[in-house]
Amino acid sequence: MVSEPWRDLRPPSATSGEIGGTTGYIEYFQARQLHTLQRPITESAYEMAFVVSSQVMELYFGLLCHEFARARREVRDNDVRAASSTLRRSVSHLRALEGTWESYADMMPADWNPIKARLGKGESSSVHSYMYRHMVFLLGLKSVKMLEPHQTTPLIHEGLHEALRAPSLYDEVLALIQRRGLELPDAAVHRDFAEPYVIRPEVEAAWLRIYREEAFADLRTLGEQLTQVSEHYTLWLRGHLRATVRTFGAKPGYYGTDASAWLRRGLDQPVFPELWTARTAM
């Protein structure tokens, strides 16, 4: 068994959280607390990279929740220019999120197995990231089944249930399109937001008009920003699949499912789907 210091070779004086005095930098970025949050528990040389990268992902999930909720509010307020700007900024965050996989891009099963063994099954699954679930609910990927992993954390479960029932960013965009005079069935705008989104030809037709008519140039810009968000979210998912196949193969994941196959199915569920299907007719 290796000694405890081998697992974390950073300077103890910088990671103890007991620094005498302070500076503006330390206080603003909460650096003292930040560097105490990594606690490797195995001998795997990749564990620190795995922990730090996962924590960075969590922070980006939170940042994207902030941005997508802001864009949703701006769309609701008919401020299309502001919403487009917020989404443009969100695309930059998604690009950074994609890069988090690179810290352990060459991890092998032998590197991952000791970590997995110590984490155990079930609650170590990535489906327990409640901030990620908030993010995908904002994007419109709704599933009541995904509340189940959070039943043991009542406050989180309640928050996710509220997010499930709330309109997504795309739901608000469709309501905006209807307010701008484009024909959409009420069933596309006034619906049970907790139910999975269903692709509708009328929504695709509305996007076609937006892309063809200059009167809707601001909505076209908004549509392109939404498309960029969808594209880069999918690229992050592909990175997740690649890392899983490389380190995990087809071992059982949450609920005993093939983790790789489960992730592949997610790639077949693009967010803002009519922005993609409409391109065939453009």
Side-chain angles (χ1 to χ4, degrees):
M1 188 69 178
V2 294
S3 63
E4 199 68 27
W6 189 91
R7 292 180 178 153
D8 186 351
L9 296 177
R10 297 175 299 171
S13 60
T15 60
S16 68
E18 299 177 358
I19 302 171
T22 191
T23 67
Y25 180 96
I26 290 171
E27 293 304 308
Y28 185 75
F29 294 109
Q30 296 291 291
R32 181 185 289 110
Q33 294 88 338
L34 188 63
H35 291 297
T36 65
L37 300 178
Q38 299 79 42
R39 300 170 185 172
I41 57 176
T42 76
E43 300 178 22
S44 174
Y46 278 86
E47 189 182 4
M48 184 65 85
F50 173 68
V51 170
V52 170
S53 295
S54 297
Q55 289 177 337
V56 169
M57 286 186 200
E58 281 290 330
L59 290 173
Y60 269 111
F61 297 156
L63 174 58
L64 286 161
C65 282
H66 168 79
E67 297 285 32
F68 294 152
R70 182 188 182 104
R72 181 176 61 179
R73 184 187 65 210
E74 290 163 343
V75 168
R76 189 181 298 145
D77 292 341
N78 301 307
D79 195 343
V80 178
R81 178 178 293 182
S84 294
S85 179
T86 297
L87 291 173
R88 185 178 301 111
R89 190 167 58 245
S90 299
V91 171
S92 297
H93 305 331
L94 284 163
R95 287 195 180 104
L97 181 64
E98 291 168 42
T100 52
W101 297 116
E102 294 304 315
S103 287
Y104 51 96
D106 58 350
M107 184 191 285
M108 297 183 295
D111 302 309
W112 168 244
N113 289 340
I115 303 172
K116 179 64 176 173
R118 287 298 302 273
L119 289 175
K121 298 180 180 179
E123 292 193 3
S124 64
S125 170
S126 58
V127 300
H128 287 84
S129 172
Y130 59 87
M131 196 64 77
Y132 173 75
R133 193 55 49 195
H134 272 286
M135 183 184 78
V136 296
F137 282 178
L138 276 164
L139 291 175
L141 296 174
K142 302 290 187 73
S143 169
V144 69
K145 187 177 180 65
M146 297 316 298
L147 297 183
E148 292 180 14
H150 307 283
Q151 289 177 340
T152 58
T153 50
L155 189 60
I156 289 171
H157 187 273
E158 180 183 347
L160 285 170
H161 196 257
E162 291 177 3
L164 180 74
R165 293 177 297 177
S168 70
L169 169 60
Y170 195 52
D171 289 319
E172 291 292 356
V173 169
L174 297 185
L176 169 66
I177 289 173
Q178 190 181 61
R179 290 196 300 273
R180 289 287 293 268
L182 288 153
E183 292 186 14
L184 288 181
D186 281 343
V189 178
H190 305 290
R191 64 184 190 87
D192 182 352
F193 299 120
E195 291 297 317
Y197 182 79
V198 176
I199 296 176
R200 296 178 185 273
E202 299 93 339
V203 174
E204 181 179 312
W207 281 117
L208 282 173
R209 279 196 63 190
I210 288 167
Y211 273 74
R212 288 169 175 170
E213 299 179 20
E214 283 305 308
F216 302 116
D218 60 334
L219 293 180
R220 182 167 63 244
T221 298
L222 180 66
E224 280 302 283
Q225 292 305 322
L226 289 167
T227 302
Q228 289 276 348
V229 166
S230 176
E231 180 176 355
H232 286 281
Y233 170 67
T234 300
L235 288 172
W236 179 83
L237 287 179
R238 290 188 186 281
H240 192 179
L241 175 61
R242 181 193 65 192
T244 300
V245 171
R246 203 179 204 290
T247 61
F248 207 63
K251 296 184 184 75
Y254 191 66
Y255 287 139
T257 60
D258 179 335
S260 300
W262 186 76
L263 289 170
R264 285 191 180 93
R265 286 196 296 273
L267 291 172
D268 295 329
Q269 297 177 304
V271 294
F272 324 138
E274 289 93 354
L275 277 163
W276 293 102
T277 59
R279 290 170 193 272
T280 302
M282 285 182 186

